[in-house]
Amino acid sequence: MGTTADLWDRTTTFAPGDVTGAVGDSVTVLPVVVAVSALTELRLPVLLLWFGAFQVVWGLRYGAPVSVEPMKALAALVIAGSLTVPELALAGTLSGVVLLSLGSVGALGTLAERIDPAVIRGVQLAVALVLARTGLELGAGAPGTALAAAAVGGAVVALGYRRAAALAVLAVGVGLAATETGAPSVAVPNLDVGILRGNIGVAVVAEAATGDAFALTTDALAATGAQLAMTVGNAAVATSLLLDDLYDAAVSPDELATSMGAMNLLAVPLGALPMCHGSGGVAGKHAFGARTAGANLILGVLYAVAALGAAELVAAFPMAALGVVLALVAVELGKASLDTDSLGLTAGVGVLGVVTNVGLAFAAGIAASVVLTRLRS
């Protein structure tokens, strides 16, 4: 096993596998990011630039193909309209504070041991169900387009590229949008977003404190708790194990928590989508051939290039095709949630989450797991 100090000495290459590996990480990022941009006021070029920047930063920092993904619970809730953008900003920033604090004192491992994995899987299932419901609602608006997009996704799955199905449907949507807009024009993204809004220095702090950039609500706090449950299990502990297994890279869960906290505290107030690391992205990079941090550098450049011509295409993106994308993402996330030792508890948390809200389901799941543990004892 390598050591953390050895990470800086790892060789970075730009082999064909690193190029295809970059695509492997994007299959779980682009569909969610495009959906958020199409359904909220968050701007796709800005979102892509932040994802690209942190692909480069963490690739260089850890010397391995580390993933940078959306915080899926928060993304799903804002896509579904259960969270407003100001509530999303509050939840993402608060998640950053908690993760940075836990990682800095080395407490993440202790916290992870206290959360029943079946509850975390239940939160994943709830998020998958929320995405599926939203996808069906969007697809119902134009059934013909939705069926055509679904046929493309099904064909990709039949060919054995299940993980790439959402990306293939996304490409179909981009093609349909391009027929309306023509070739995208290159434009430098407007970075006057988030809490900045043209202000500098003390004025930024004042607007953040008194304006509408953040919304402290019960829904925002509940969503924060639900997201942290997923992040602890998937983005920190599972990702750490996978980096060791696949790349012999010794990156602790607390290091990953610290980096996730730092990037959200920096970027979310400036218009970014809350971000995390994730075992799915690491597995995707490896499955598509990535072996060095070169995959991160390549993907960072690709995101930046996409940001230059993304705005017009997103504005014309067909919502029915977007619904199919969300349904495919929901299937992938739902499959992961079934890897549980207590299917009843996981299913209960998932159903409660989609009927009420994910935060309430998370709290109820923790209470239920404590009761079940005592009964078994």
Side-chain angles (χ1 to χ4, degrees), residues 315-345:
F317 198 93
M319 291 295 103
L322 185 60
V324 176
V325 170
L326 294 180
L328 290 170
V329 172
V331 169
E332 290 297 313
L333 192 58
K335 284 186 176 181
S337 72
L338 299 179
D339 183 16
T340 176
D341 295 329
S342 179
L343 185 59
L345 179 57

Side-chain angles (χ1 to χ4, degrees), residues 73-170:
L74 298 183
L77 292 174
V78 78
I79 288 170
S82 301
L83 281 183
T84 65
V85 169
E87 287 172 331
L88 174 73
L90 185 284
T93 304
L94 185 57
S95 295
V97 171
V98 174
L99 289 169
L100 184 60
S101 301
L102 291 174
S104 297
V105 300
L108 194 70
T110 302
L111 177 62
E113 293 173 358
R114 295 180 179 275
I115 301 178
D116 190 331
V119 177
I120 297 175
R121 295 301 187 188
V123 172
Q124 288 180 319
L125 178 59
V127 171
L129 292 173
V130 169
L131 282 175
R133 181 180 63 191
T134 305
L136 290 173
E137 292 171 351
L138 292 175
T145 301
L147 288 174
V152 171
V156 173
V157 171
L159 291 172
Y161 300 100
R162 177 176 56 85
R163 284 179 53 86
L167 194 63
V169 176
L170 188 65

Side-chain angles (χ1 to χ4, degrees), residues 31-319:
V32 175
V33 173
V34 170
V36 169
S37 179
L39 297 172
T40 74
E41 61 266 35
L42 291 175
R43 303 175 192 169
L44 182 60
V46 175
L47 302 183
L48 289 174
L49 286 177
W50 280 114
F51 275 100
F54 285 118
Q55 282 283 343
V56 173
V57 168
W58 302 127
L60 294 175
R61 165 66 180 86
Y62 293 119
V66 178
S67 63
V68 180
E69 303 178 6
M71 285 188 165
K72 289 189 176 64
L74 298 183
L77 292 174
V78 78
I79 288 170
S82 301
L83 281 183
T84 65
V85 169
E87 287 172 331
L88 174 73
L90 185 284
T93 304
L94 185 57
S95 295
V97 171
V98 174
L99 289 169
L100 184 60
S101 301
L102 291 174
S104 297
V105 300
L108 194 70
T110 302
L111 177 62
E113 293 173 358
R114 295 180 179 275
I115 301 178
D116 190 331
V119 177
I120 297 175
R121 295 301 187 188
V123 172
Q124 288 180 319
L125 178 59
V127 171
L129 292 173
V130 169
L131 282 175
R133 181 180 63 191
T134 305
L136 290 173
E137 292 171 351
L138 292 175
T145 301
L147 288 174
V152 171
V156 173
V157 171
L159 291 172
Y161 300 100
R162 177 176 56 85
R163 284 179 53 86
L167 194 63
V169 176
L170 188 65
V172 171
V174 169
L176 292 174
T179 60
E180 293 187 18
T181 64
S185 58
V186 177
V188 177
N190 179 8
L191 299 180
D192 184 22
V193 294
I195 65 171
L196 289 181
R197 311 227 177 124
N199 297 320
I200 300 175
V202 176
V204 172
V205 179
E207 181 169 348
T210 62
D212 297 326
F214 299 105
L216 178 57
T217 65
T218 302
D219 286 342
L221 294 177
T224 302
Q227 178 60 62
L228 287 172
M230 288 180 60
T231 300
V232 168
N234 178 61
V237 177
T239 301
S240 174
L241 292 173
L242 204 58
L243 285 170
D244 191 9
D245 290 343
L246 298 180
Y247 298 107
D248 194 27
V251 182
S252 73
D254 287 301
E255 287 178 295
L256 293 172
T258 301
S259 63
M260 287 187 287
M263 69 176 165
N264 282 299
L265 284 176
L266 171 64
V268 170
L270 302 179
L273 188 64
M275 293 170 282
C276 64
H277 301 304
S279 58
V282 173
K285 274 193 168 87
H286 189 272
F288 278 72
R291 296 297 180 267
T292 77
N296 286 60
L297 305 186
I298 293 167
L299 186 53
V301 172
L302 292 177
Y303 281 154
V305 171
L308 297 177
E312 292 181 359
L313 290 177
V314 171
F317 198 93
M319 291 295 103

